[in-house]
Amino acid sequence: MTTDALPDSYLDDGMTLRSWLTTTDHKRIAILYALSITAFFFVGGAAATLIRMELATPAGDLVSHDAYNKLFTAHGVIMVWLFLIPSIPSVLGNFLLPLMLGARDLAFPRLNLLSWYLYMAGGLVTLEALLLGGVDTGWTFYTPYSTMFSNTYVVLTLVGVFVTGFSSILTGLNFIVTIHTLRAPAMGWFKLPLFAWAMYATSLILVLATPVLAVTTLLVAAERLFQIGIFDPAYGGDPLLFQHLFWFYSHPAVYIMVLPAMGVVSEVIPCFARRPVYGYDTMAYAILAIASVGFLVWGHHMFVSGQSLAASMTFSLLSFIVAIPSAIKVFNWTATLYKGSIRFDAPMLYALGFVGLFTIGGLTGLFLASLALDVHLTDTYFVVAHFHYIMVGGSVMAYFGGLHFWWPKATGRMYPEVWARIAAVLVFVGFNLTFFPQFILGVEGMPRRYHAYPPQFQVLNLFSSTGAGVLAIGYLMPLVYFAWSLARGKAAGDNPFGAKGLEWLTRSPPPTHNFDSPPVVPARVYDYHANEPQPRAVP
């Protein structure tokens, strides 16, 4: 890529590698994150491709059972900790939050750069463990298997996850302080964009929950290396304790992935519906409610683990309660669309796809929150489908929607709109073809994590593997046309979508200092009108 293809604001202090590796500009750090996260995304996607190729036939004839265990572990570890958790906060959050607040940068620019270095260090250590021979415990590292029986690189993988967790903590701390202290004059809390609310709630979870994961990984490593009796019953430990600690972090981690996605969708839908967000205050409170109640539902992952019936019933009730603020958000997005002047550009297609897929994922989550159903479904492909409808159908759809929405602001260039719409449709169709059959497989009793299965499940698995191929094409297309747009895309202008928000009041791409003059906070947030003219996207 030549320097001519890059926006001027990213060339201000030179195009040398050193200038990028020592930058404290939040926009450049967001780009560093984007490049890193994209690389890990395709590594994790390659593992998923091999998994689906193996499952296209009933017999385990592509890879051995040991290799299959390492494949699904690699896919889970990379996608959860190196893509899903950091994707929207570290890329879109880093780039947009100061712009949305009218600030020059985040509160701690050097800490922001350190967070990227920690992310890269943890990611490379994790990748090294997978390349040296892999790990076969699954991404959850359940004890006592991870401490007693696995002979793979468990400790090295845990070190990578541990270091990456500190990157998340630093990012969350930076966002919290920035939102509290660097808002533009006259920007009260209830003039914040909903994306900023989502970043704030996500940051609280990152700061409060991630240390629990860090301690848990250290305890597993210590037990494995020094035979300390913490989780291993052979040494007087309790394996159920590990599950409590792990899921105390990992269920809130679901909202680390989903809340930022909700923030993105809350920006895109009003823009392309030309309607103010319906129930802005309620949406903000719902974001905080999801983050708060999300800390209280970890036990619904443990209904078959041996915890008491009273605990299981309590967690079941709380799991139904946490669905209420999520349902409020879906209702408010739908009400925002009502009587809107809707335009189906690529960002809107991804946003609508998110709403549909997240709704299916949320409703199927209620099935798993029911004790009687969960006993049957918990170790089946129903859980795999539910998880991916929330994480991939939700977070990834919103991430791609956000990339398309703010790409002209970040680069000053337009992507080819027709190809972007085709990619959005392929992702939606490919996703449903991949994962909806897995709901049926789960109800029929196909267990997850098996590399061989009874022949009667093959037809649905073929549908799923075919859908994975369509999904892969949909994911690869933006990589191609985004790269093309950097070199040959048409100039975007400062606000090609006629969007509201302070980030659209500066140049595209923004200068190093973000604003040429202090931005004026509008009297009303999301001040859209259905009858106002809309700029058309460049075809």
Side-chain angles (χ1 to χ4, degrees), residues 20-38:
W20 279 86
L21 296 180
T22 59
T23 185
T24 55
D25 183 350
H26 67 99
K27 299 181 291 298
R28 281 192 166 200
I29 293 171
I31 293 171
L32 292 174
Y33 266 116
L35 295 173
S36 309
I37 285 170
T38 300

Side-chain angles (χ1 to χ4, degrees), residues 520-538:
V520 178
V521 177
R524 293 178 57 197
V525 67
Y526 301 109
D527 192 17
Y528 292 102
H529 304 281
N531 58 354
E532 67 179 313
Q534 299 186 58
R536 300 301 300 176
V538 179

Side-chain angles (χ1 to χ4, degrees), residues 190-214:
F190 286 92
K191 285 189 178 180
L192 283 177
L194 289 171
F195 181 81
W197 273 110
M199 287 297 101
Y200 185 73
T202 302
S203 299
L204 292 175
I205 299 174
L206 287 171
V207 171
L208 296 174
T210 309
V212 178
L213 175 70

Side-chain angles (χ1 to χ4, degrees), residues 298-336:
W298 77 88
H300 77 220
H301 295 273
M302 301 167 57
F303 287 159
V304 298
S305 66
Q307 70 180 0
S308 71
L309 179 61
S312 293
M313 292 179 67
T314 301
F315 284 121
S316 177
L317 175 62
L318 290 168
S319 300
F320 278 89
I321 291 174
V322 79
I324 295 173
S326 298
I328 288 172
K329 296 190 73 62
V330 172
F331 171 79
N332 285 20
W333 289 322
T334 306
T336 302

